[in-house]
């Protein structure tokens, strides 16, 4: 059983490119060119240089002594929070903007929910002097005002989407419409391992620098290059895909995915997509998604905007379905408490998304000599208002 994408863009039963005919030319161009471009020495040199000098890589692998003592095991935190713009998302936007330039595109579009991907996209567009348009639902524009301001300061145009529920799903539809209307000069930077093939594979490759570094850093720190447990949160699944990538076929490594249970997996107010989801098509690929008996997509809920998505990337659907990854769901409350614990034990305030991965440490039972790596996907600055309100700080 393999976990690499196949020729048709599938991971087991999931993936593919289910797109309207109007998008064929855009997707085919990407599919035909992406591997050749990404593999070229010239691309790799520029990508690596920017990851180092602009994003701040390699990010440290930190031995968390006090959390380790608390859980009675050996815990390491992969510090993606220390990247420029505060999370792993910049790895992908750097990769995609370099690809877009080599495809001769001058105009970049993106969708964003919480605004983190919008900021990471606006950032690389400023860096390369590219025209940037970010689609964002009206509700999210109101809820995420600081990120909207950042995107504008970076020179991006933020287009408010008034249709549907006025959130991420509607912003994505609007971005797709834009792409259909500008097939020649525009590249669409998708923010996670979702969407039609080749996006899930392309974004996974850009994020795979995370596991590439973990291997080297674990070798230095523990004398072997793999952990016993590798824990990451899954929204669309890009930080997890990057952290897992070089260990996908290594069965010594237990892959642990953390989803958002919201108010509880069975509460009706949840984003536990692969636990509750059934096979269906969303945003161009077949995956596990939360839908009712008529195939209507059910609105997800999580306290964390980055995990509040009704599907998961097709790789994660396959990892869950095949049993390669074990999926746990953490509730809002469990995530809040885990964020507080990490702050008090290690002096690191994590993003709310990341807090779900930390909360899963309560649900697994590693031994005292086991090595546990948690992918610390982002920092908590953006979530301070929620922490203040919910934790009564
Ligand atoms: C966006 C985001 C996520 C969720 O996205 P994935 O594609 O699942 O990684 C997780 N953590 C942080 C800090 C984010 O900003």
């Amino acid at each position: 059983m393999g976990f690499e994408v196949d020729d048709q863009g599938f991971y087991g039963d999931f993936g593919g490119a289910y797109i309207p005919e109007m998008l064929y030319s855009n997707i085919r161009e990407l599919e035909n060119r992406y591997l050749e471009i990404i593999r070229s020495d010239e691309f790799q040199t520029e990508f690596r240089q920017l990851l180092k000098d602009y994003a701040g890589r390699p990010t440290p692998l930190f031995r968390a002594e006090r959390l380790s003592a608390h859980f009675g095991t050996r815990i390491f935190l992969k510090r993606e929070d220390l990247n420029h713009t505060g999370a792993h998302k910049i790895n992908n936007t750097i990769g995609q903007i370099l690809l877009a330039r080599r495809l001769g595109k001058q105009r970049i579009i993106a969708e964003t929910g919480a605004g983190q991907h919008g900021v990471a996209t606006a950032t690389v567009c400023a860096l390369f002097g590219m025209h940037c348009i970010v689609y964002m639902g009206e509700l999210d524009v109101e809820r995420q005002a600081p990120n909207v301001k950042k995107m504008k300061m970076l020179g991006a145009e933020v287009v408010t989407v008034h249709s549907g529920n006025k959130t991420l799903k509607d912003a994505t539809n609007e971005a797709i419409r834009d792409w259909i209307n500008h097939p020649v000069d525009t590249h669409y930077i998708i923010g996670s391992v979702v969407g039609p093939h080749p996006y899930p594979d392309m974004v996974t490759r850009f994020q795979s620098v995370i596991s590439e570094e973990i291997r080297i850093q674990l070798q230095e720190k523990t004398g072997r290059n793999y952990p016993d447990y590798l824990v990451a949160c899954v929204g669309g699944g890009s930080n997890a895909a990057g952290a897992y990538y070089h260990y996908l076929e290594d069965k010594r490594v237990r892959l642990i995915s953390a989803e958002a249970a919201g108010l509880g997996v069975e509460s009706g107010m949840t984003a536990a997509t692969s636990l509750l989801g059934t096979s269906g098509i969303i945003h161009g690929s077949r995956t596990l998604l939360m839908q009712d008996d008529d195939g209507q997509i059910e609105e997800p809920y999580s306290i964390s905007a980055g995990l509040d998505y009704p599907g998961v990337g097709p790789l994660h659907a396959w990892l869950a379905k095949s049993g390669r990854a074990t999926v746990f769901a953490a509730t809002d409350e469990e995530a809040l408490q885990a964020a507080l614990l990490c702050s008090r034990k290690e002096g690191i305030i994590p993003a709310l998304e990341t807090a779900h991965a930390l909360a899963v440490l309560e649900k697994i039972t590693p031994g005292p000599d086991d090595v546990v790596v948690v992918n610390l996907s982002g920092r908590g600055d953006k979530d301070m208002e929620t922490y203040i309100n919910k934790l009564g700080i």
Side-chain angles (χ1 to χ4, degrees):
M1 192 156 49
F3 297 99
E4 290 282 346
V5 78
D6 71 17
D7 296 346
Q8 308 298 311
F10 278 85
Y11 301 89
D13 303 332
F14 305 103
Y18 298 85
I19 49 170
E21 204 175 320
M22 311 262 278
L23 276 183
Y24 280 4
S25 63
N26 310 44
I27 293 292
R28 194 152 300 147
E29 180 185 30
L30 257 189
E31 197 185 341
N32 289 338
R33 304 277 316 276
Y34 85 109
L35 284 177
E36 153 216 330
I37 292 174
I38 294 173
R39 284 175 177 154
S40 71
D41 289 344
E42 188 226 351
F43 179 94
Q44 282 298 325
T45 304
E46 198 177 358
F47 182 50
R48 299 287 162 170
Q49 195 74 46
L50 283 171
L51 288 180
K52 178 169 179 280
D53 295 338
Y54 192 69
R57 304 202 72 91
T59 59
L61 183 71
F62 176 64
R63 167 81 194 252
E65 295 284 358
R66 277 167 39 81
L67 272 183
S68 294
H70 181 84
F71 287 106
T73 187
R74 294 199 285 163
I75 296 173
F76 292 84
L77 304 175
K78 179 59 174 160
R79 300 290 309 276
E80 292 301 297
D81 59 316
L82 294 178
N83 278 309
H84 181 42
T85 70
H88 65 289
K89 288 198 171 71
I90 193 85
N91 304 327
N92 170 47
T93 57
I94 290 175
Q96 286 203 50
I97 197 114
L98 293 179
L99 183 88
R101 279 159 52 87
R102 281 161 178 79
L103 292 172
K105 311 291 181 183
Q106 293 102 37
R107 189 172 170 274
I108 298 294
I109 56 172
E111 84 296 335
T112 197
Q116 294 301 106
H117 173 56
V119 170
T121 302
T123 297
V124 296
C125 286
L127 181 65
F128 285 102
M130 302 269 261
H131 187 184
C132 180
I133 298 147
V134 180
Y135 289 92
M136 194 167 182
E138 187 181 344
L139 251 182
D140 291 331
V141 168
E142 287 164 14
R143 290 191 292 197
Q144 311 291 338
N147 274 340
V148 175
K149 294 280 191 312
K150 278 188 195 168
M151 287 183 259
K152 290 186 173 167
M153 181 147 179
L154 291 160
E157 187 184 325
V158 180
V159 177
T160 306
V161 176
H162 302 282
S163 57
N165 289 309
K166 307 177 178 25
T167 58
L168 179 62
K169 197 152 43 69
D170 315 290
T172 305
N173 291 338
E174 220 41 55
I176 290 172
R177 200 160 303 154
D178 178 310
W179 208 22
I180 288 172
N181 290 326
H182 301 88
V184 178
D185 67 343
T186 299
H187 176 68
Y188 178 14
I189 299 190
I190 293 184
S192 189
V193 288
V194 300
H197 178 67
Y199 278 100
D201 183 51
M202 182 168 73
V203 178
T204 297
R205 284 170 191 269
F206 293 144
Q207 293 292 359
S208 70
V209 65
I210 300 173
S211 50
E212 190 181 304
E213 291 174 3
I214 292 174
R215 275 210 301 207
I216 297 166
Q217 293 166 326
L218 271 183
Q219 181 70 44
E220 284 169 10
K221 288 177 196 301
T222 70
R224 61 171 160 93
N225 68 359
Y226 66 95
D228 298 290
Y229 293 81
L230 181 49
V231 187
C233 65
V234 174
S238 67
N239 86 85
Y244 295 169
Y245 186 75
H246 288 94
Y247 298 113
L248 286 171
E249 313 290 343
D250 185 345
K251 299 294 162 56
R252 296 171 300 184
V253 182
R254 273 168 269 205
L255 306 179
I256 309 290
S257 302
E259 289 190 335
L263 300 186
V265 174
E266 304 298 338
S267 69
M269 294 282 281
T270 181
T273 318
S274 41
L275 289 174
L276 294 176
T278 50
S279 181
I281 290 165
I282 184 172
H283 297 146
S285 66
R286 175 168 290 282
T287 188
L288 292 173
L289 63 136
M290 302 201 306
Q291 53 189 338
D292 65 19
D293 294 340
D294 298 327
Q296 290 291 326
I297 289 164
E298 293 183 24
E299 278 301 310
Y301 163 80
S302 164
I303 192 171
S304 146
L307 302 184
D308 196 349
Y309 181 70
V312 285
L315 167 63
H316 292 287
W318 183 229
L319 290 173
K321 198 77 176 184
S322 65
R324 175 68 188 95
T326 309
V327 182
F328 292 92
T331 62
D332 290 358
E333 186 54 35
E334 288 168 337
L336 287 166
Q337 292 307 324
L340 191 58
L341 186 74
C342 183
S343 303
R344 300 269 164 99
K345 293 279 185 200
E346 300 295 344
I348 298 169
I349 301 177
L352 256 171
E353 292 83 5
T354 315
H356 289 73
L358 293 162
V360 162
L361 292 172
E362 305 275 358
K363 299 171 195 276
I364 59 176
T365 50
D369 295 327
D370 281 339
V371 171
V372 180
V373 171
V374 181
N375 197 35
L376 207 89
S377 57
R379 66 177 86 125
D381 305 31
K382 67 187 179 61
D383 299 310
M384 282 315 298
E385 208 178 300
T386 308
Y387 288 146
I388 291 163
N389 291 335
K390 298 286 179 180
L391 291 168
I393 288 165

